[in-house]
Amino acid sequence: MNTLVVVGVADCKVSASAGAEVTTYALGSCIGLAVYDPYVKVGGLLHYMLPDSSIMSGTERNLYKFADTGIPKLIDEVCALGASKKRLDVWAAGAANMLTTAGGFEIGKRNHQALRRILWKAGLLVQAEAIGGNQSRSVRLEIATGKFWVQEAGEERKLLQPAKKGGDKWRIAS
């Protein structure tokens, strides 16, 4: 029987339990970032809200709230459970434009740019992503299999690595 591990907003969970499914809900402009080492079957999921912790007040202690502090912490936590950074599969979802007014803050776009920059500096690439648009998404990572599921508009589908270079950023299995 699988155990559902729920990741809240500005939260992160990692697991090495074969029966765990790590999930987060309602990714609007936030990003859900999943990492998984298929060799040791260790994975984790981060739900971050904002790209840059420089806006953090002196009393703010939640490092998972920001891309620049949460992403390195996620990687450190899965590696502490035996994962190797070199073997990590990486998926991302979210970064939607939930506010359609012109001149908005474009938090989703800025979150995605921060994600790409931070992962590039860490030597990691995103295998597949469901990014942008204007709909909320929920995601789920199966620790036993390493399958990453995205639910959007009421449909849940497995997110796969692109079949060829130069193709779509992502594709969904049926």
Side-chain angles (χ1 to χ4, degrees):
M1 181 170 178
N2 287 348
T3 303
L4 194 61
V5 179
V6 178
V7 178
V9 177
D11 192 11
C12 176
K13 300 282 194 262
V14 298
S15 181
S17 172
E21 292 185 0
V22 187
T23 188
T24 194
Y25 304 104
L27 293 164
S29 59
C30 296
I31 289 187
L33 175 66
V35 297
Y36 182 76
D37 182 333
Y39 183 74
V40 294
K41 298 189 184 309
V42 170
L45 180 62
L46 168 68
H47 182 148
Y48 70 88
M49 298 172 60
L50 297 167
D52 185 3
S53 64
S54 67
I55 65 165
M56 189 174 3
S57 70
T59 60
E60 177 70 55
R61 297 285 178 241
N62 186 351
L63 300 180
Y64 299 131
K65 189 174 186 176
F66 306 96
D68 65 331
T69 54
I71 293 171
K73 193 159 175 51
L74 168 64
I75 294 167
D76 289 347
E77 289 183 18
V78 294
C79 289
L81 290 178
S84 169
K85 191 166 97 170
K86 294 183 289 187
R87 292 189 303 253
L88 290 179
D89 291 330
V90 181
W91 302 274
N97 181 11
M98 302 307 285
L99 302 173
T100 57
T101 59
F105 293 108
E106 295 186 317
I107 297 297
K109 181 178 179 179
R110 291 174 44 216
N111 275 338
H112 186 237
Q113 290 169 338
L115 167 83
R116 302 296 261 181
R117 182 181 66 252
I118 294 161
L119 290 178
W120 181 79
K121 286 181 181 178
L124 296 170
L125 296 175
V126 175
Q127 271 75 32
E129 57 187 13
I131 295 292
N134 58 7
Q135 291 190 17
S136 175
R137 297 176 177 94
S138 295
V139 297
R140 180 172 54 94
L141 173 65
E142 296 176 2
I143 300 300
T145 64
K147 292 179 182 173
F148 184 69
W149 298 88
V150 175
Q151 183 176 0
E152 180 179 36
E155 281 190 57
E156 184 179 60
R157 297 194 178 125
K158 184 170 62 168
L159 199 59
L160 301 174
Q161 186 170 346
K164 61 183 185 286
K165 291 192 182 262
D168 293 334
K169 276 192 195 178
W170 58 277
R171 68 182 169 93
I172 297 179
S174 48

